Coordinates of all heavy atoms in Angstrom, one line a residue:
T15 N 6.8 3.8 4.9 CA 7.8 3.4 3.9 C 8.4 4.7 3.3 O 9.6 4.6 3.0 CB 7.2 2.6 2.8 OG1 6.1 3.2 2.2 CG2 6.7 1.2 3.4
K16 N 7.7 5.7 3.2 CA 8.3 6.9 2.6 C 9.4 7.5 3.5 O 10.5 7.8 3.1 CB 7.2 8.0 2.4 CG 7.7 9.3 1.8 CD 6.7 10.4 1.8 CE 7.2 11.7 1.4 NZ 8.4 12.1 2.0
S17 N 9.0 7.6 4.8 CA 10.0 8.2 5.7 C 11.1 7.3 6.1 O 12.3 7.7 6.1 CB 9.3 8.7 7.0 OG 8.3 9.6 6.7
Y18 N 10.8 6.1 6.5 CA 11.8 5.2 7.1 C 12.5 4.3 6.1 O 13.7 4.1 6.3 CB 11.2 4.4 8.2 CG 10.6 5.2 9.3 CD1 9.2 5.2 9.6 CD2 11.4 6.0 10.1 CE1 8.7 6.0 10.6 CE2 10.9 6.8 11.2 CZ 9.5 6.8 11.4 OH 9.0 7.6 12.4
V19 N 11.8 3.8 5.1 CA 12.4 2.9 4.2 C 13.1 3.6 3.1 O 14.3 3.4 2.8 CB 11.4 1.8 3.7 CG1 12.0 0.9 2.7 CG2 10.8 1.1 4.9
F20 N 12.3 4.3 2.3 CA 12.8 4.9 1.1 C 13.7 6.1 1.3 O 14.8 6.2 0.7 CB 11.7 5.2 0.1 CG 10.9 4.0 -0.3 CD1 9.6 3.9 -0.1 CD2 11.5 3.0 -0.9 CE1 8.8 2.8 -0.5 CE2 10.8 1.8 -1.3 CZ 9.5 1.8 -1.1
E21 N 13.3 7.0 2.2 CA 14.2 8.2 2.4 C 15.3 7.8 3.5 O 16.4 8.3 3.3 CB 13.4 9.4 2.9 CG 12.5 10.0 1.8 CD 11.7 11.2 2.3 OE1 11.7 11.5 3.5 OE2 11.0 11.7 1.5
G22 N 14.9 7.1 4.5 CA 15.9 6.8 5.6 C 16.9 5.7 5.2 O 18.1 6.0 5.3
T23 N 16.4 4.6 4.8 CA 17.3 3.4 4.6 C 17.9 3.5 3.2 O 19.2 3.4 3.1 CB 16.5 2.1 4.7 OG1 15.9 2.1 6.0 CG2 17.4 0.9 4.5
F24 N 17.1 3.8 2.2 CA 17.7 3.8 0.8 C 18.2 5.1 0.4 O 18.9 5.2 -0.6 CB 16.6 3.3 -0.2 CG 16.2 1.9 0.0 CD1 14.9 1.6 -0.1 CD2 17.1 0.9 0.2 CE1 14.5 0.3 0.0 CE2 16.7 -0.4 0.4 CZ 15.4 -0.7 0.3
G25 N 17.9 6.2 1.1 CA 18.5 7.5 0.8 C 17.9 8.1 -0.5 O 18.6 8.9 -1.2
M26 N 16.7 7.8 -0.8 CA 16.1 8.3 -2.1 C 15.7 9.8 -1.9 O 15.5 10.2 -0.8 CB 14.9 7.5 -2.4 CG 15.1 6.1 -2.9 SD 13.6 5.3 -3.3 CE 14.2 3.8 -4.0
S27 N 15.5 10.4 -3.0 CA 15.0 11.8 -2.9 C 13.6 11.8 -2.5 O 12.9 10.8 -2.6 CB 15.2 12.5 -4.3 OG 14.3 11.9 -5.2
N28 N 13.1 13.0 -2.1 CA 11.7 13.2 -1.7 C 10.8 12.8 -2.8 O 9.7 12.1 -2.6 CB 11.5 14.6 -1.3 CG 10.3 14.8 -0.5 OD1 9.7 13.9 0.0 ND2 9.8 16.1 -0.4
R29 N 11.1 13.2 -4.0 CA 10.2 12.9 -5.1 C 10.1 11.4 -5.5 O 9.0 10.9 -5.7 CB 10.7 13.7 -6.4 CG 9.8 13.7 -7.5 CD 10.2 14.6 -8.6 NE 9.2 14.7 -9.6 CZ 9.2 15.6 -10.5 NH1 10.1 16.6 -10.5 NH2 8.3 15.6 -11.4
D30 N 11.2 10.7 -5.4 CA 11.2 9.3 -5.7 C 10.5 8.5 -4.6 O 9.8 7.5 -4.9 CB 12.6 8.8 -5.9 CG 13.3 9.2 -7.2 OD1 12.5 9.6 -8.1 OD2 14.5 9.2 -7.3
S31 N 10.7 9.0 -3.4 CA 10.1 8.2 -2.3 C 8.6 8.4 -2.3 O 7.9 7.4 -1.9 CB 10.6 8.7 -0.9 OG 10.2 10.1 -0.7
Y32 N 8.0 9.5 -2.8 CA 6.6 9.6 -3.0 C 6.1 8.5 -3.9 O 5.0 7.9 -3.6 CB 6.2 10.9 -3.5 CG 6.2 12.1 -2.6 CD1 6.8 13.3 -2.9 CD2 5.6 12.0 -1.3 CE1 6.8 14.4 -2.0 CE2 5.6 13.1 -0.5 CZ 6.2 14.2 -0.8 OH 6.2 15.3 0.0
F33 N 6.8 8.3 -5.0 CA 6.3 7.4 -6.0 C 6.3 6.0 -5.5 O 5.3 5.2 -5.6 CB 7.3 7.5 -7.2 CG 7.0 6.6 -8.3 CD1 5.8 6.8 -9.1 CD2 7.8 5.5 -8.6 CE1 5.6 5.9 -10.2 CE2 7.5 4.6 -9.6 CZ 6.4 4.8 -10.4
Y34 N 7.4 5.6 -4.9 CA 7.5 4.2 -4.4 C 6.6 3.9 -3.2 O 6.1 2.8 -3.1 CB 9.0 3.8 -4.1 CG 9.8 3.8 -5.4 CD1 10.8 4.7 -5.6 CD2 9.6 2.8 -6.3 CE1 11.6 4.6 -6.8 CE2 10.3 2.7 -7.5 CZ 11.3 3.7 -7.7 OH 12.0 3.6 -8.9
A35 N 6.4 4.9 -2.4 CA 5.5 4.7 -1.2 C 4.1 4.6 -1.7 O 3.3 3.8 -1.1 CB 5.7 5.9 -0.3
A36 N 3.7 5.3 -2.8 CA 2.4 5.1 -3.4 C 2.2 3.7 -3.9 O 1.1 3.2 -3.8 CB 2.2 6.2 -4.4
I37 N 3.2 3.2 -4.5 CA 3.1 1.8 -5.0 C 2.9 0.8 -3.9 O 2.0 -0.1 -4.0 CB 4.4 1.5 -5.9 CG1 4.4 2.3 -7.1 CG2 4.4 0.0 -6.1 CD1 5.7 2.1 -8.0
V38 N 3.6 1.0 -2.8 CA 3.4 0.2 -1.6 C 2.0 0.3 -1.1 O 1.3 -0.7 -0.8 CB 4.4 0.5 -0.5 CG1 4.1 -0.2 0.8 CG2 5.8 0.1 -1.0
A39 N 1.4 1.5 -1.0 CA 0.1 1.7 -0.6 C -1.0 1.0 -1.5 O -1.9 0.4 -1.0 CB -0.2 3.2 -0.4
V40 N -0.8 1.1 -2.8 CA -1.7 0.5 -3.7 C -1.6 -1.0 -3.6 O -2.7 -1.7 -3.7 CB -1.4 1.0 -5.2 CG1 -2.1 0.2 -6.2 CG2 -1.7 2.5 -5.3
V41 N -0.5 -1.6 -3.5 CA -0.3 -3.0 -3.3 C -1.0 -3.4 -2.0 O -1.7 -4.5 -1.9 CB 1.2 -3.4 -3.3 CG1 1.3 -4.9 -2.8 CG2 1.7 -3.2 -4.7
A42 N -0.9 -2.6 -0.9 CA -1.6 -2.9 0.3 C -3.1 -2.9 0.2 O -3.8 -3.8 0.7 CB -1.2 -2.0 1.4
V43 N -3.6 -2.0 -0.6 CA -5.1 -2.0 -0.9 C -5.5 -3.2 -1.6 O -6.5 -3.8 -1.2 CB -5.5 -0.7 -1.7 CG1 -6.9 -0.8 -2.3 CG2 -5.3 0.5 -0.8
H44 N -4.7 -3.7 -2.6 CA -5.1 -4.9 -3.3 C -5.0 -6.1 -2.4 O -5.9 -7.0 -2.5 CB -4.2 -5.0 -4.5 CG -4.6 -4.1 -5.6 ND1 -4.1 -2.8 -5.7 CD2 -5.4 -4.3 -6.7 CE1 -4.6 -2.3 -6.8 NE2 -5.4 -3.1 -7.4
I45 N -4.1 -6.2 -1.5 CA -4.0 -7.3 -0.6 C -5.2 -7.3 0.3 O -5.8 -8.4 0.6 CB -2.6 -7.3 0.2 CG1 -1.5 -7.6 -0.8 CG2 -2.7 -8.2 1.3 CD1 -0.1 -7.4 -0.2
V46 N -5.6 -6.2 0.9 CA -6.7 -6.1 1.8 C -8.0 -6.5 1.0 O -8.8 -7.3 1.6 CB -6.9 -4.7 2.4 CG1 -8.2 -4.6 3.2 CG2 -5.7 -4.4 3.4

């Protein structure tokens, strides 16, 4: 999500993409 979704598709900065990708990873942990 950091590389392809947030930076690639949405064009977010490197710093913002770290934050949102971490949120996606934490949500994935909770789902598992």
Side-chain angles (χ1 to χ4, degrees):
T15 57
K16 180 188 175 311
S17 298
Y18 299 114
V19 176
F20 297 121
E21 288 178 0
T23 304
F24 295 138
M26 292 183 172
S27 69
N28 194 18
R29 189 173 187 160
D30 288 341
S31 65
Y32 282 133
F33 178 73
Y34 292 113
I37 290 174
V38 170
V40 168
V41 168
V43 166
H44 283 84
I45 289 172
V46 170

